[in-house]
Amino acid sequence: MAESTLNQTSKVFGSGKDGICIIKCLTDIPGGRSLDVSRIPAEYDVISAGHIVISKAGQYILLGVTGGKFATLTEGESYVGVLRTAIMRQDPRGAIVTSGQVNGACTPFPIDDAIAKGLPHIEFLFTDKRN
């Protein structure tokens, strides 16, 4: 299970999209969770707001990335929500939005139909405005 040390000092980072990625958070997982980042390619030191969070066997995992797209779920996995703010790979503690509105134009990777259907309490807006 993913674990984090809570007494680390914080660092300033991010892409500047944190404030516009989550348009409205209606509900989230209280207190956030420590996230498994093992499926994220090593070149990503910062995981952006809007990244999809999944679960398997009680663990919270950041959805993998393949070829510039979110990976598909494997057996036993389910969608949980969306990362509320950017996090550092070496300190993977994050708030997870489970209901609300997300700006699909600024998620780190495109939101496909499977993700949208798997997160029915999240409305993905502006997905047609991606660069």
Side-chain angles (χ1 to χ4, degrees):
M1 178 171 283
E3 295 183 12
S4 299
T5 304
L6 298 177
N7 62 358
Q8 296 180 28
T9 58
S10 62
K11 298 176 183 172
V12 177
F13 64 93
S15 65
K17 293 183 181 180
D18 283 8
I20 61 170
C21 191
I22 305 301
I23 297 169
K24 186 182 292 184
C25 175
L26 297 175
T27 57
D28 61 8
I29 296 177
R33 292 293 181 268
S34 291
L35 303 165
D36 180 341
V37 297
S38 63
R39 298 181 186 186
I40 305 299
E43 67 262 18
Y44 292 99
D45 291 330
V46 175
I47 293 102
S48 300
H51 201 100
I52 304 300
V53 179
I54 62 172
S55 69
K56 182 175 184 176
Q59 283 197 50
Y60 290 86
I61 306 163
L62 291 168
L63 186 58
V65 176
T66 305
K69 295 181 181 180
F70 284 119
T72 57
L73 293 183
T74 61
E75 188 173 332
E77 296 177 340
S78 60
Y79 294 107
V80 173
V82 178
L83 193 60
R84 187 170 188 167
T85 61
I87 61 172
M88 297 295 292
R89 181 185 193 85
Q90 71 265 18
D91 185 18
R93 296 176 286 163
I96 304 166
V97 175
T98 56
S99 176
Q101 294 176 323
V102 172
N103 183 342
C106 70
T107 56
F109 305 99
I111 302 299
D112 62 23
D113 288 340
I115 293 170
K117 288 177 184 172
L119 294 169
H121 300 292
I122 295 179
E123 181 180 14
F124 292 96
L125 303 172
F126 314 119
T127 54
D128 60 329
K129 305 290 185 206
R130 289 193 69 85
N131 294 338

